[in-house]
Amino acid sequence: MKFKYLRAEDIRALQRLAFEPRSLVEGHLAGRHRSTAIGSSTEFRDYRPYVPGDDLRRVDWRVLARTDRFYLRTHNQETNAACHVFLDSSASMGFGAPASKLDYGSFFVAGLAYLVARRHDAISLHLFDDAVRAFFPAGSTTRHLHTLLRALEANPPGARTSLAVALQHSLGRLRRRGTLVLVSDFFDDAGAIFDALNPYLHRGFEIHLFHVLDPEELQLPERGLATFVDLETNGRVVAHTPSIRKLYEQAMADHIRNLRELARRRHVRYTLARTDAPHIALYDRLIP
Amino acid sequence: MNMLWQHFALWPWLALIAAPLLIHLFALTRPPAYRFSSLEFIRRIVRRTRRIERPQDWLIWLLRTLAIAAAVLMFLRPLLFVRGGGDVHTARHVVLVVDASASMSSVENAQSRFSSACSEAAEILGGLGAGDTANVVWMKAKPEAVFPSSGINFSYLRDSLRRARVTSEAADVASALKLGVDLLSGLPGRKEICILSDFQKTNWEGVDFKLPPEYKLFTVRVGASDGDNRALARLTAQPVEPLAGETLTLYAEVRNFSPSPRKATVYLNFDERHEQQEVSLEAWGQAAAVFTLRAGQAGSFPVTVRLSEDAFAGDNVRQLLLRVRDRLPIKILASEPETAGYWRRALETLPWAQVTMLASNQWPAEEADDILLLSGWDGAGAETVAKRLQAGRMTIWQPAPETPQERLAALGIAGPGLATNGVLSWETAREPYRLTVASPDDPCFALFGHGEYGDPAGGSFLGRLRLPRLDQPSSDLLLAYRDQVPALIRFRFPGVLYLWNLPLQSAAGDWAARPEFLPLLAELLLSGRTFASSGAGSGTLYPGQMASLPAEQAPLNTAFTLEDEQGGKLLVEARESNAKVYLAAGPVKETGLYRWKAGDETLGWSVVNFPIVESDLRGGAASSPTTGSPAMSSGREVRQAQTGLNLWPGLVALAGLFLLMESVAVWGASKT
């Protein structure tokens, strides 16, 4: 099957990558990822002295033979990882040509879904603008992957952005902690966004912010005197581009710096994603 | 102010001025739409920068508009006529009236006012073109023109301006203007008179600049400062013509023409005497240095007074020709023989009196400088006596009974009791009339102070003339009858007139036989000279005037010359006037002492003094409201008023300046 946002060349590029959440995850299926629960798996974790009541099957007999002491081998319990993706589908994400920011984000999300599903990890998807337009609960099957890919293709830019609202509404839906990936242009109040992220952080989610921006948003093009039309509100402002260009760049830089700083303080990983850069490079940010 | 557009057909181009505004407005109303992700930042920035950008936008628009306007106007080739003008196609006839009077020699910024005036005049000449004519009139005591009529030889006029020298003369403004008008009368086209002067207040105050309507007047003032000058304003002797051996007082009046107090030293040079005095002068004030001299032998002697040096040197010297007499010539008109006889007998006893008796119909010459005693004169022909009085001569008049009172008025005598149709009636009384001294402190009574010469009011009279009250500001009642009828009055004109109401006839009283009669008569004659200015002006001239000398005694076949102090000679011409021969020379140009000579023999002297009217260097109004043409500061301004100021070079510069400013404004806007 051919999908718009998961092309053959993308699959080839993704072959060398693997979805490896940085933090430990918890899962109800035994999988490939370390769990915070100590259990039986092939990945050695540590030795600890034996205390009465411990399972004798986990005593390391070799150590006992060499040192005449009882030590237990402990292993990380392997589980399947959960990845929750929020893709901003507001009107502002429709900016950019020939590919919009939403297209860029959809390519990224499609690739991520492929990576996650390939390793039989679970992935959920939220498509939102000022509300959650579509929610696909976590799944790890190929069918689930196809569902997500089709949903991405049928996802035009919508209304205004309200990431905070989407996060608040989805908090109850995400029962399993895991990796939270936010793909947005973040034209929203940064304080409100991080306020909405606080419960997720509290629950131990590993959060990645992918700030998708078109180059023209970072550096206003030379348009002379122009009527700027807001994609979300249809509001209009007449401005002389050369006059405001530097101030705009400065304001945008301040905004990015602010987001980066807020993210750093909360141990949230922030990544600026320029649409003129290949989205494949972004997956490295997910690898610890 | 008037503007002439040489390329008037290009006026529609001025519509281009609206281009920046239209572009500006069009761009503001329909800028292309640009769909953008979020206007949050842009809105914030626009809100913040609007206060700065709006003025910048308008400033840039304004500068562009001004630049285009300047560029378009440049192509229209405008000519600016600041004061009138605008008719550049009609031939112009210009008379340049250049002030060459003495005040123009004042130096400012290393250049005399006269040099500045000549430079400005040359500048004006430079603006004349083909078909125009010009002339130069030198404004001095007797104005004269370079050409008899306006000509086209401008280079000759420029050469005249270059060679001209300032004079020591006073300016005759009215004559100069009249000459200028006359030179232009009858010429077609534009008639322009341009006066270049310092417009000295003392010369120009009250001058009416009004010219005939077809004439246009321009005035160019040279000399900005009020100057700083001290001058010897007057030099007088009292008595004016002393007798040999008599003591005289010399007054040298010094004036300060500056706004600060000054000190000056006055140097006297008379015969072998050299004296000096220092005088302190208030700002714009005056003071007098007083020298007491004794006249030696009879003759004419030059007196020279100098002032310490200042920047304006011309008026620092003044001279006086002091005439010392051996005797006073006195002529007695014997209309009433008894009185005339008493006068003659009395005066013949005085060694300094030279008495001549005249018949009643024999009048002395008007210009004769002798003293006239009129006994029993009825006032007929009062004009002759009036002229003598105005010329500074002394006269004693005993009116005849029944003299019409109006004849007193003809002499310049006035008074509240003078009737138009009245006569001076003779009156007698049984009781003799007694006298009283009305002005005891008058110098004529000084001799009688100790009583050895008797009582001047001691006589008694049985008859007298009934004189009305004749008190006037310039009169002194010396003796009066006890009933206040005037007995002896002195009237001060430039000369002195004693009105004598002291009958000398034996039937009328005893006055002629009294001892006071002779000394009082002598004192009246001697003291009267201090009030009369007789001879003060004799031989004194001002630069620009003709010098003349009566030549009755000179042999007419002799070569006459007039020599100045440096030995320079002026041609002398013998002229006949009223059957008398005069020597005439000049006009004399420079101040100083001139000697009339017949061969090697000295005939007389003439003194040429600086005209004091030229000493006050303060400028006055250079125009009058009637002309409507304000004073200009340079010939260039006049030229611009005549030919217009070509504005296009200025407009080129202006357009460039506006473009530069626009670039700066744009750069500044991009920076902010």
Side-chain angles (χ1 to χ4, degrees):
Chain A
M1 291 183 73
K2 290 182 87 176
F3 297 99
K4 179 182 176 184
Y5 295 117
L6 189 64
R7 298 164 298 194
E9 61 267 31
D10 296 333
I11 294 171
R12 277 197 297 276
L14 292 168
Q15 291 303 321
R16 58 178 182 82
L17 298 173
F19 176 64
E20 296 286 352
R22 208 167 24 135
S23 61
L24 296 178
V25 297
E26 59 178 343
H28 60 277
L29 294 174
R32 300 176 60 91
H33 302 285
R34 291 176 301 172
S35 169
T36 52
I38 299 170
S40 54
S41 73
T42 55
E43 188 177 354
F44 171 74
R45 183 180 180 183
D46 202 358
Y47 288 102
R48 70 171 174 80
Y50 171 81
V51 292
D54 281 339
D55 186 356
L56 286 174
R57 287 177 299 180
R58 296 174 67 188
V59 173
D60 191 328
W61 301 109
R62 291 183 182 173
V63 174
L64 178 64
R66 283 202 300 272
T67 64
D68 202 20
R69 290 179 183 175
F70 287 92
Y71 279 94
L72 261 62
R73 286 173 65 96
T74 61
H75 296 82
N76 281 332
Q77 185 181 8
E78 287 185 351
T79 176
N80 59 332
C83 180
H84 309 289
V85 179
F86 285 77
L87 177 60
D88 183 356
S89 304
S90 64
S92 64
M93 288 292 284
F95 180 74
S100 69
K101 291 190 290 182
L102 185 58
D103 289 332
Y104 187 85
S106 299
F107 274 115
F108 172 68
V109 171
L112 179 61
Y114 171 77
L115 282 176
V116 172
R118 190 180 68 183
R119 297 176 64 96
H120 306 292
D121 291 324
I123 183 167
S124 70
L125 177 62
H126 289 78
L127 301 176
F128 70 95
D129 41 25
D130 56 349
V132 177
R133 287 160 54 183
F135 169 62
F136 301 92
S140 57
T141 61
T142 303
R143 189 175 172 188
H144 180 66
L145 174 64
H146 288 180
T147 303
L148 297 185
L149 291 175
R150 277 195 295 273
L152 288 173
E153 288 175 10
N155 180 37
R160 305 179 66 158
T161 311
S162 185
L163 178 57
V165 172
L167 288 170
Q168 284 161 7
H169 285 183
S170 303
L171 184 61
R173 291 175 180 153
L174 305 181
R175 295 196 187 91
R176 287 173 61 194
R177 62 178 175 172
T179 302
L180 193 70
V181 177
L182 292 179
V183 181
S184 172
D185 51 14
F186 294 110
F187 283 126
D188 204 348
D189 179 21
I193 293 169
F194 281 91
D195 285 348
L197 283 174
N198 278 340
Y200 293 91
L201 289 166
H202 188 68
R203 284 177 53 184
F205 279 84
E206 178 187 332
I207 301 176
H208 291 263
L209 304 184
F210 286 91
H211 192 179
V212 182
L213 287 175
D214 189 89
E216 290 195 359
E217 289 175 318
L218 288 164
Q219 194 169 26
L220 281 181
E222 187 59 68
R223 297 262 171 178
L225 191 69
T227 303
F228 287 83
V229 182
D230 196 312
L231 284 173
E232 293 190 354
T233 63
N234 253 352
R236 288 165 181 266
V237 173
V238 176
H240 188 234
T241 318
S243 304
I244 64 166
R245 206 170 175 197
K246 287 220 161 138
L247 286 173
Y248 176 84
E249 285 170 25
Q250 193 178 334
M252 183 55 83
D254 289 346
H255 179 60
I256 292 170
R257 197 180 307 114
N258 188 31
L259 282 172
R260 199 189 295 277
E261 180 60 22
L262 287 169
R264 187 188 62 75
R265 282 189 206 155
R266 288 170 172 77
H267 303 289
V268 171
R269 298 200 74 176
Y270 170 88
T271 302
L272 177 63
R274 290 174 59 110
T275 57
D276 57 348
H279 66 275
I280 298 296
L282 297 178
Y283 300 115
D284 290 339
R285 301 287 298 172
L286 291 166
I287 298 167
Chain B
M1 191 179 293
N2 203 354
M3 188 80 83
L4 179 75
W5 306 95
Q6 294 184 78
H7 295 166
F8 192 78
L10 300 180
W11 256 100
W13 284 25
L14 270 182
L16 287 174
I17 291 172
L21 177 64
L22 293 174
I23 292 168
H24 189 78
L25 294 177
F26 184 75
L28 269 183
T29 50
R30 303 194 58 183
Y34 178 45
R35 299 181 68 78
F36 201 65
S37 52
S38 172
L39 300 188
E40 183 189 345
F41 298 122
I42 292 172
R43 270 213 181 88
R44 207 183 303 156
I45 292 163
V46 167
R47 210 176 298 132
R48 203 171 65 200
T49 58
R50 182 164 290 155
R51 274 182 307 165
I52 302 167
E53 282 187 8
R54 275 288 158 84
Q56 281 172 345
D57 288 349
W58 286 102
L59 179 64
I60 290 165
W61 163 75
L62 182 69
L63 289 171
R64 285 172 184 168
T65 303
L66 289 172
I68 289 180
V72 173
L73 290 174
M74 177 184 75
F75 285 108
L76 293 176
R77 298 293 295 270
L79 285 175
L80 177 67
F81 295 88
V82 179
R83 287 154 187 153
D87 180 10
V88 292
H89 305 296
T90 310
R92 287 182 295 138
H93 307 288
V94 181
V95 168
L96 301 167
V97 180
V98 182
D99 189 348
S101 65
S103 64
M104 294 291 283
S105 63
S106 176
V107 175
E108 291 173 19
N109 301 324
Q111 193 179 24
S112 72
R113 292 178 176 180
F114 184 71
S115 303
S116 302
C118 289
S119 304
E120 302 301 346
E123 173 73 31
I124 295 168
L125 282 177
L128 298 178
D132 297 338
T133 67
N135 205 341
V136 172
V137 169
W138 302 114
M139 186 193 293
K140 47 188 184 175
K142 192 173 180 184
E144 55 188 31
V146 173
F147 293 144
S149 59
S150 289
I152 56 169
N153 194 345
F154 302 148
S155 59
Y156 183 82
L157 289 177
R158 269 193 287 273
D159 193 46
S160 298
L161 289 167
R162 197 164 47 249
R163 285 186 286 105
R165 296 286 176 268
V166 68
T167 68
S168 300
E169 302 171 15
D172 185 347
V173 177
S175 298
L177 285 177
K178 184 175 180 307
L179 179 58
V181 171
D182 292 346
L183 286 168
L184 293 176
S185 65
L187 293 174
R190 294 161 60 188
K191 299 172 186 174
E192 296 172 358
I193 292 179
C194 181
I195 306 171
L196 300 104
S197 170
D198 54 2
F199 293 95
Q200 213 189 350
K201 193 184 271 183
T202 47
N203 260 331
W204 289 85
E205 208 157 49
V207 170
D208 188 4
F209 291 82
K210 199 168 183 182
L211 297 176
E214 69 271 24
Y215 288 74
K216 189 156 185 62
L217 178 69
F218 297 98
T219 54
V220 177
R221 178 198 291 279
V222 292
S225 76
D226 283 343
D228 183 357
N229 184 33
R230 266 87 60 213
L232 274 166
R234 210 150 61 116
L235 183 60
T236 54
Q238 278 192 351
V240 174
E241 292 183 349
L243 292 166
E246 190 179 15
T247 301
L248 68 126
T249 309
L250 200 69
Y251 296 93
E253 185 183 311
V254 185
R255 294 187 66 179
N256 178 20
F257 296 106
S258 80
S260 311
R262 300 274 185 231
K263 284 191 173 180
T265 308
V266 182
Y267 304 91
L268 168 73
N269 187 3
F270 171 60
D271 201 7
E272 296 296 317
R273 290 185 58 182
H274 303 282
E275 286 185 30
Q276 69 180 62
Q277 273 186 34
E278 195 165 272
V279 291
S280 297
L281 298 155
E282 295 293 319
W284 306 112
Q286 63 184 54
V290 182
F291 299 95
T292 304
L293 309 172
R294 180 174 288 277
Q297 59 189 16
S300 291
F301 302 97
V303 181
T304 304
V305 173
R306 293 177 191 280
L307 200 60
S308 44
E309 283 297 312
D310 62 9
F312 190 65
D315 53 10
N316 291 344
V317 180
R318 207 156 191 88
Q319 289 179 311
L320 172 74
L321 200 61
L322 187 67
R323 186 176 179 188
V324 180
R325 291 178 178 273
D326 54 351
R327 288 193 294 176
L328 291 181
I330 300 169
K331 288 190 169 65
I332 301 173
L333 189 74
S335 299
E336 203 281 291
E338 191 178 356
T339 301
Y342 282 122
W343 276 344
R344 180 179 59 80
R345 281 197 297 276
L347 292 173
E348 280 177 348
T349 64
L350 300 173
W352 44 263
Q354 183 185 8
V355 182
T356 308
M357 295 298 287
L358 300 173
S360 59
N361 59 349
Q362 188 183 5
W363 281 90
E366 282 180 17
E367 65 277 13
D369 55 358
D370 40 23
I371 298 169
L372 190 63
L373 273 63
L374 304 169
S375 63
W377 181 51
D378 63 357
E383 300 75 22
T384 307
V385 178
K387 284 180 185 171
R388 286 176 53 85
L389 290 172
Q390 291 302 324
R393 315 284 184 238
M394 192 194 309
T395 300
I396 296 177
W397 178 26
Q398 185 204 26
E402 304 303 314
T403 297
Q405 292 187 16
E406 62 187 18
R407 291 184 179 168
L408 274 71
L411 288 175
I413 297 172
L418 212 58
T420 313
N421 299 319
V423 293
L424 302 179
S425 56
W426 179 260
E427 61 181 2
T428 56
R430 272 190 200 168
E431 288 297 317
Y433 298 112
R434 300 284 180 186
L435 293 172
T436 180
V437 177
S439 305
D441 298 329
D442 195 90
C444 68
F445 297 123
L447 186 71
F448 303 95
H450 300 292
E452 58 184 298
Y453 291 99
D455 178 8
S460 60
F461 298 88
L462 299 173
R464 65 179 184 185
L465 288 173
R466 184 75 193 174
L467 284 181
R469 281 185 59 202
L470 297 170
D471 46 331
Q472 63 186 59
S474 60
S475 70
D476 307 302
L477 181 61
L478 302 174
L479 288 172
Y481 292 98
R482 290 183 181 172
D483 58 357
Q484 300 304 312
V485 171
L488 183 64
I489 313 174
R490 180 174 58 220
F491 294 95
R492 285 174 274 112
F493 302 99
V496 165
L497 170 68
Y498 288 104
L499 195 60
W500 183 284
N501 190 18
L502 298 164
L504 297 181
Q505 300 93 321
S506 54
D510 62 350
W511 177 243
R514 290 187 66 84
E516 302 89 0
F517 167 56
L518 174 60
L520 181 62
L521 180 61
E523 285 301 295
L524 288 178
L525 294 173
L526 290 175
S527 66
R529 292 178 308 150
T530 59
F531 297 99
S533 58
S534 173
S538 64
T540 301
L541 299 166
Y542 294 104
Q545 291 182 331
M546 295 292 291
S548 66
L549 185 77
E552 288 93 346
Q553 308 298 325
L556 287 176
N557 55 355
T558 315
F560 298 106
T561 54
L562 181 63
E563 274 185 18
D564 61 19
E565 289 170 282
Q566 285 74 41
K569 290 179 180 172
L570 277 75
L571 282 178
V572 174
E573 188 185 350
R575 291 179 183 172
E576 197 171 334
S577 171
N578 295 332
K580 291 179 180 172
V581 177
Y582 289 88
L583 300 181
V588 286
K589 301 284 184 190
E590 300 300 330
T591 59
L593 192 66
Y594 289 78
R595 184 201 300 253
W596 294 92
K597 292 176 76 174
D600 291 333
E601 185 191 351
T602 299
L603 295 177
W605 300 84
S606 286
V607 168
V608 180
N609 275 324
F610 188 87
I612 193 64
V613 73
E614 294 289 323
S615 292
D616 189 348
L617 301 176
R618 283 177 289 181
S623 64
S624 76
T626 53
T627 62
S629 56
M632 300 181 184
S633 60
S634 70
R636 181 179 292 272
E637 270 189 60
V638 176
R639 197 167 154 177
Q640 286 167 0
Q642 290 170 331
T643 60
L645 172 64
N646 212 335
L647 294 182
W648 75 264
L651 288 168
V652 171
L654 212 56
L657 177 69
F658 286 138
L659 287 175
L660 184 70
M661 288 168 70
E662 191 261 357
S663 304
V664 171
V666 169
W667 177 79
S670 67
K671 277 286 172 193
T672 54

